[in-house]
DNA sequence: AAGTAGATGTTCT
DNA sequence: GAACATCTACTTA
């Protein structure tokens, strides 16, 4: 019994709902990746979002169709991956913050220059490096190569926890960080 | 274990 | 100039 591929319609909901749904899903880029164990939701109405002040050259993909990738450079150094949700033009998305590595461990170790499995994808910048994310992925649909995204197994909802987002200074009160309870692959404990 | 400095592209003041 | 959806290396304990 194999899990179905997520498509654009799975991204039509609000960012927090999509962020929750993505926990337990399997994300691969060119066959390399793992199980999503940590996400964060962002929405235009949310002061911490890159889209809060409207479209710019950098965030254009966030105002494009749902189910596509928004890639941004964090702190001038790291590449981070978001999946656009809601509807085109809205500016909502989900940041992929951590994976449990399952596919292409050797490739990820080489790209990261590390052996420790727990540190390969434990943070958005680390995910970007381990999966080889670059601007070449900007705006691409996640239901087609090089992406592959398979739904989480059923019955995982009661193992999803949430809390405040990390590394922001605005909208601190929103519990829009989601994670797989007890996972050893989180960027930080909840 | 906890704290700090330094890396630096894009956006904002 | 300053802030920023971060990470690493290095210090101090």
């Amino acid at each position: 019994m194999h899990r179905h591929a997520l498509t654009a319609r799975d991204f039509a909901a609000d960012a927090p709902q999509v962020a929750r749904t993505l926990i337990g899903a399997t994300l691969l880029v060119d066959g390399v990746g793992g199980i999503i164990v940590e996400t964060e939701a962002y929405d235009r109405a949310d002061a911490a979002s890159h889209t809060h002040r409207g479209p710019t050259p950098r965030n254009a993909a966030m105002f494009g169709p749902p189910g596509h990738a928004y890639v941004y450079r964090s702190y001038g150094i790291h590449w981070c991956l978001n999946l656009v949700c809601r509807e085109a033009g809205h500016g909502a998305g989900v940041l992929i913050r951590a994976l449990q590595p399952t596919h292409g461990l050797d490739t990820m170790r080489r790209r990261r220059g590390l052996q420790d499995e727990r540190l390969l994808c434990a943070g958005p910048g680390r995910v970007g490096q381990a999966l080889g994310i670059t601007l070449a992925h900007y705006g691409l649909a996640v239901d087609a190569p090089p992406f592959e995204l398979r739904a989480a197994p059923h019955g995982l909802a009661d193992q999803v926890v949430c809390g405040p987002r990390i590394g922001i200074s605005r909208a601190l009160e929103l519990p829009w960080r989601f994670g797989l309870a007890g996972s050893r692959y989180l960027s930080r404990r909840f």
Side-chain angles (χ1 to χ4, degrees):
Chain A
M1 159 116 193
H2 73 67
R3 292 170 274 160
H4 75 275
L6 293 178
T7 59
R9 114 188 38 189
D10 296 296
F11 291 89
D14 286 349
Q17 182 174 326
V18 173
R20 185 179 279 277
T21 300
L22 284 173
I23 299 299
T26 295
L27 171 67
L28 307 178
V29 179
D30 287 315
V32 175
I35 300 165
I36 299 173
V37 297
E38 184 181 339
T39 59
E40 279 178 359
Y42 289 89
D43 188 274
R44 182 166 181 177
D46 145 34
S49 174
H50 288 170
T51 60
H52 187 57
R53 307 198 178 241
T56 65
R58 175 175 74 156
N59 67 22
M62 283 281 271
F63 291 92
H68 288 237
Y70 162 50
V71 175
Y72 74 97
R73 187 93 113 146
S74 175
Y75 288 88
I77 297 167
H78 308 101
W79 294 109
C80 298
L81 174 66
N82 293 256
L83 306 184
V84 179
C85 58
R86 266 186 96 151
E87 70 276 0
H90 191 86
V94 175
L95 173 66
I96 306 301
R97 286 195 56 91
L99 307 180
Q100 173 181 339
T102 59
H103 291 63
L105 280 276
D106 292 343
T107 298
M108 291 193 274
R109 287 193 169 103
R110 186 183 72 248
R111 287 171 175 164
R112 294 272 299 116
L114 278 179
Q115 289 302 309
D116 189 351
E117 188 178 316
R118 291 174 61 157
L119 292 178
L120 289 181
C121 302
R126 291 162 170 171
V127 169
Q129 187 178 28
L131 270 54
I133 296 296
T134 69
L135 279 185
H137 300 102
Y138 191 94
L140 297 185
V142 295
D143 61 357
F147 288 101
E148 195 177 336
L149 185 57
R150 293 196 294 272
H154 291 108
L156 216 61
D158 56 353
Q159 294 178 59
V160 177
V161 292
C162 69
R165 293 173 292 181
I166 291 179
I168 57 169
S169 60
R170 314 179 71 170
L172 299 172
E173 72 283 3
L174 295 177
W176 281 8
R177 174 180 178 234
F178 299 88
L180 185 60
S183 171
R184 299 162 47 236
Y185 301 93
L186 300 172
S187 67
R188 260 166 57 177
R189 301 277 172 191
F190 278 78

